[in-house]
Amino acid sequence: MEYLIVPMEPQHLDACVEIERTAQDPWNAAQLAEELSCQMEGGASRIYLAVEPSTQQVVGLAAWQLAGDEASLNTLTVDPAHRRRGIGRQLLRQSLALLAQQGAAYAFLEVRHSNLAAQGLYESVGFSVQGLRQNFYSAPREDALVMSCDGVQSFISAQQEADDVYTGN
């Protein structure tokens, strides 16, 4: 199933807070509200949601910062009831395409050293390990791998091809 990837709006806040509560390092309501406000005022924040088309249910979110040609992923969380369906990959790919359309050429993220599933997801779309941040995470204390992707512009053409297949063009 293809999900709609849309920018977060105020009416999505409660659903996003509930999804984030399931993350290992969750953002709270105040953090999400602050990032949403920054996005709506034209700031660096970009929050994209995966929405189930028939029910309009928010099933995932990706929060980014876009500064110049660099995008940094702050959080990517999919509702546990919807995991292992490709939503995270679709959300990651399509949000990268949207960021590329806004000028992003590079993307960066940190991921827990122990989170092999997330590392596999990021590698599957073109991220690679660039370094290590010691003791980056707390509760529990853990190192973070720094991953980057320098081919962000390629997501624009890949998204256009996917859109053409989806619409039959």
Side-chain angles (χ1 to χ4, degrees):
M1 170 185 289
E2 285 289 315
Y3 292 81
L4 303 174
I5 306 302
V6 299
M8 183 179 172
E9 295 183 10
Q11 69 267 23
H12 300 127
L13 183 59
D14 290 341
C16 290
V17 169
E18 290 304 311
I19 292 170
E20 268 300 293
R21 284 188 181 144
T22 69
Q24 188 168 3
D25 299 293
W27 281 24
N28 61 39
Q31 289 170 304
L32 284 165
E34 181 178 343
E35 293 301 310
L36 175 59
S37 176
C38 180
Q39 172 177 289
M40 297 190 72
E41 293 169 2
S45 297
R46 304 289 190 277
I47 306 173
Y48 298 107
L49 308 179
V51 177
E52 203 283 320
S54 63
T55 64
Q56 296 300 300
Q57 178 186 4
V58 176
V59 296
L61 69 125
W64 297 85
Q65 290 287 310
L66 178 62
D69 65 353
E70 295 181 1
S72 178
L73 180 64
N74 295 321
T75 186
L76 178 101
T77 308
V78 174
D79 183 304
H82 294 87
R83 290 183 184 157
R84 311 296 302 168
R85 298 183 190 178
I87 297 168
R89 180 171 286 107
Q90 182 187 350
L91 182 56
L92 187 58
R93 285 180 183 271
Q94 289 183 344
S95 64
L96 281 165
L98 292 165
L99 290 161
Q101 290 172 349
Q102 298 170 62
Y106 309 96
F108 301 90
L109 60 88
E110 289 94 7
V111 60
R112 282 185 178 271
H113 191 270
S114 64
N115 193 341
L116 300 179
Q119 291 171 40
L121 169 65
Y122 300 138
E123 288 172 349
S124 76
V125 299
F127 282 83
S128 61
V129 174
Q130 300 302 313
L132 181 77
R133 295 193 200 282
Q134 293 185 340
N135 298 316
F136 184 79
Y137 292 102
S138 58
R141 181 149 309 281
E142 186 175 353
D143 296 342
L145 296 177
V146 178
M147 300 182 78
S148 70
C149 176
D150 60 3
V152 174
Q153 289 293 312
S154 68
F155 285 93
I156 294 175
S157 59
Q159 182 59 44
Q160 288 169 341
E161 290 171 15
D163 289 346
D164 288 347
V165 169
Y166 184 71
T167 60
N169 293 328

